[in-house]
Amino acid sequence: MHPGVRVCVPTVALLGMFCRGCLSRAQSLPRRSFSTLHKRMSRWNSQETSGPLPSQEHPRVLITGGLGQLGVGLAQSLRKLYGRENVILSDIKKPPPHVFTSGMQNINTVLWRFVSCFPLLILLNALPSLFPSGPFVYADVLDYKHLREIIVNNRITWLIHYSALLSAVGEANVALARKINITGLHNVLDLALENCLRLFVPSTIGAFGPSSPRDPAPDLCIQRPRTIYGVSKVHGELMGEYLHHKYGLDFRCLRYPGVISVNSPPGGGTTDYAVQIFHDALSTGHHECYLRPDTRLPMMHISDCHRATVEFMQAPGCQLSLRTYNIAAMSFTPEEVAQEIRKHLPHLKVTYNPDSVRQTIADSWPVRFDDTNARRDWGWAPAFGLEELVSDMLHFIRDKRTNKGLPVS
């Protein structure tokens, strides 16, 4: 347990898993001791993460918009904790093979290959590691009835709502962004309340506007964003908090900074340059940046983002003084990240050609997040700074290019 994190009475924490309309369901559950709750909260950073938790503690998780930048990696983290079959990815796109293995053909191949070498019991125990992917279903967040069927049929208890159009893409298609980011959100909120789910909806640096405090931006302040993406995120924060206070919905929200990852291509966000610059550095040695060199924005390594999300979802509700928190790790400019990359690749050349839409968006956002409340309430602490992030990104992208037979600059 992190120093300074508030400790809750076990019964309260157990009842906090249910919305007020469902408290009666808690009466029939066995009470868990404080030590059990303590183990669950600290499990992420312990050696016990190598295997799933005992089955009686498994949430059943559905991730919407799961094929975006964050969904696949978060599913992998949750499957290590709760078991492969207890975490369901969903999207409206066809999943790539590494995300979903439908598998009788693959299972038969494994059986024929290994059955003569291993006892059947050992083989059955090995199957989950041989197929690290897990369930995937088609789910359109605009189709309320179908989404309800998925939740009911799969006995979902946690819903992680990643479906959204990002900032720059949303500005290019406001009508579609309004439909996905707001109408889709309302469907998810209604279903979470109806089925007593623990609901996570991410917010963003884009939830702030030019009148917000910028250095740092606190959890509670004037927001007033000027993009449809930001407006929809503020709407989600306020709707979730309203339903929590009015009806007891277990709503949870983190404001993500710019998230930097190896495995997912840029998806139309204003901070995407901080991903593309690493690929360009190792492929062509040249990156053209669409922001000014002095544009400072908060950023985070994707593994810190996933860990923050899991730890936040695991936190007992009585530890949370807020329902929407900032989380922070680092803040840098395009020129600062380029200088750090040049410590490894001195030949990197960066030119600047600011895009008026993205630059205007970035200029309205905070340059730093104040995440004091997250650190105090549930022990948030990042692992990656700029130096560690650059080393990690270059290492993994270089390995990926080498394994594909691609040249490395």
Side-chain angles (χ1 to χ4, degrees):
M1 185 68 69
H2 297 274
V5 173
R6 292 196 301 274
V7 175
C8 309
V9 178
T11 304
V12 175
L14 179 60
L15 295 181
M17 294 171 61
F18 301 93
C19 55
R20 292 187 186 114
C22 303
L23 285 177
S24 60
R25 290 170 53 189
Q27 306 303 320
S28 62
L29 293 178
R31 294 187 178 184
R32 285 185 248 162
S33 68
F34 174 79
S35 61
T36 304
L37 287 171
H38 178 88
K39 288 178 181 178
R40 183 173 181 179
M41 285 297 300
S42 59
R43 186 70 59 89
W44 179 275
N45 291 315
S46 74
Q47 294 301 316
E48 296 174 35
T49 54
S50 58
L53 298 177
S55 59
Q56 65 267 25
E57 294 193 16
H58 286 173
R60 296 275 298 170
V61 185
L62 175 65
I63 303 175
T64 67
L67 298 184
Q69 182 188 17
L70 301 176
V72 174
L74 181 65
Q76 291 171 347
S77 297
L78 290 168
R79 284 166 179 162
K80 289 177 182 177
L81 288 169
Y82 302 125
R84 189 164 57 102
E85 299 303 318
N86 287 313
V87 181
I88 302 173
L89 272 174
S90 72
D91 211 307
I92 60 172
K93 300 180 291 187
K94 181 180 178 181
H98 73 276
V99 171
F100 175 68
T101 306
S102 60
M104 284 313 297
Q105 178 179 355
N106 294 325
I107 292 174
N108 287 337
T109 300
V110 172
L111 288 173
W112 281 110
R113 185 175 298 171
F114 293 107
V115 73
S116 61
C117 304
F118 297 99
L120 183 58
L121 181 60
I122 294 177
L123 176 62
L124 292 175
N125 287 333
L127 282 177
S129 63
L130 293 170
F131 302 104
S133 58
F136 178 91
V137 297
Y138 173 91
D140 182 351
V141 296
L142 299 177
D143 188 339
Y144 184 91
K145 182 177 182 294
H146 184 228
L147 201 56
R148 173 193 269 169
E149 289 176 355
I150 293 171
I151 290 169
V152 171
N153 290 343
N154 292 282
R155 298 171 291 111
I156 298 301
T157 57
W158 287 10
L159 178 54
I160 296 172
H161 180 54
Y162 276 155
S163 295
L165 286 191
L166 301 183
S167 55
V169 175
E171 289 306 288
N173 195 338
V174 173
L176 181 61
R178 186 175 63 238
K179 184 182 294 186
I180 294 174
N181 294 8
I182 295 179
T183 304
L185 169 73
H186 285 188
N187 287 342
V188 166
L189 287 168
D190 289 347
L191 287 167
L193 190 61
E194 175 186 322
N195 292 280
C196 302
L197 308 182
R198 179 168 294 183
L199 173 63
F200 177 81
V201 179
S203 189
T204 167
I205 180 180
F208 297 93
S211 57
S212 305
R214 299 191 71 216
D215 192 10
D219 286 315
L220 302 175
C221 66
I222 294 172
Q223 292 179 256
R224 305 194 70 80
R226 292 187 178 176
T227 65
I228 186 61
Y229 177 60
V231 168
S232 68
K233 288 302 183 181
V234 173
H235 177 75
E237 293 176 13
L238 295 178
M239 281 299 301
E241 291 176 15
Y242 168 76
L243 293 174
H244 168 71
H245 293 296
K246 181 77 172 180
Y247 301 109
L249 174 66
D250 191 353
F251 172 81
R252 303 180 182 216
C253 177
L254 293 177
R255 293 193 189 112
Y256 290 156
V259 178
I260 303 173
S261 66
V262 173
N263 293 320
S264 300
T270 301
T271 58
D272 282 352
Y273 86 88
V275 176
Q276 190 62 47
I277 192 171
F278 291 99
H279 292 276
D280 292 345
L282 286 165
S283 58
T284 65
H286 172 250
H287 173 70
E288 181 175 284
C289 185
Y290 51 75
L291 298 179
R292 293 191 312 269
D294 62 346
T295 305
R296 182 175 300 279
L297 292 169
M299 302 284 186
M300 177 175 285
H301 191 285
I302 193 168
S303 64
D304 273 345
C305 180
H306 291 327
R307 183 169 55 84
T309 304
V310 174
E311 290 177 356
F312 184 48
M313 287 295 284
Q314 290 175 329
C318 56
Q319 285 187 196
L320 308 180
S321 64
L322 302 170
R323 286 289 151 170
T324 299
Y325 289 88
N326 294 338
I327 52 171
M330 68 194 86
S331 182
F332 57 73
T333 67
E335 184 58 29
E336 287 173 350
V337 72
Q339 291 289 0
E340 189 64 34
I341 293 172
R342 289 191 187 106
K343 294 179 181 179
H344 304 264
L345 301 169
H347 64 276
L348 173 64
K349 180 182 179 182
V350 179
T351 56
Y352 296 93
N353 183 20
D355 172 74
S356 60
V357 174
R358 292 189 181 190
Q359 187 65 60
T360 300
I361 293 172
D363 289 342
S364 72
W365 288 353
V367 299
R368 288 183 180 85
F369 271 162
D370 179 357
D371 62 352
T372 302
N373 291 318
R375 292 171 185 259
R376 181 198 65 211
D377 288 359
W378 45 278
W380 162 243
F384 284 80
L386 177 58
E387 182 179 348
E388 294 83 8
L389 180 143
V390 168
S391 296
D392 186 73
M393 290 289 289
L394 291 176
H395 169 73
F396 279 99
I397 294 174
R398 182 182 287 110
D399 284 353
K400 285 183 70 173
R401 292 186 64 85
T402 300
N403 292 338
K404 292 180 179 179
L406 299 173
V408 176
S409 173

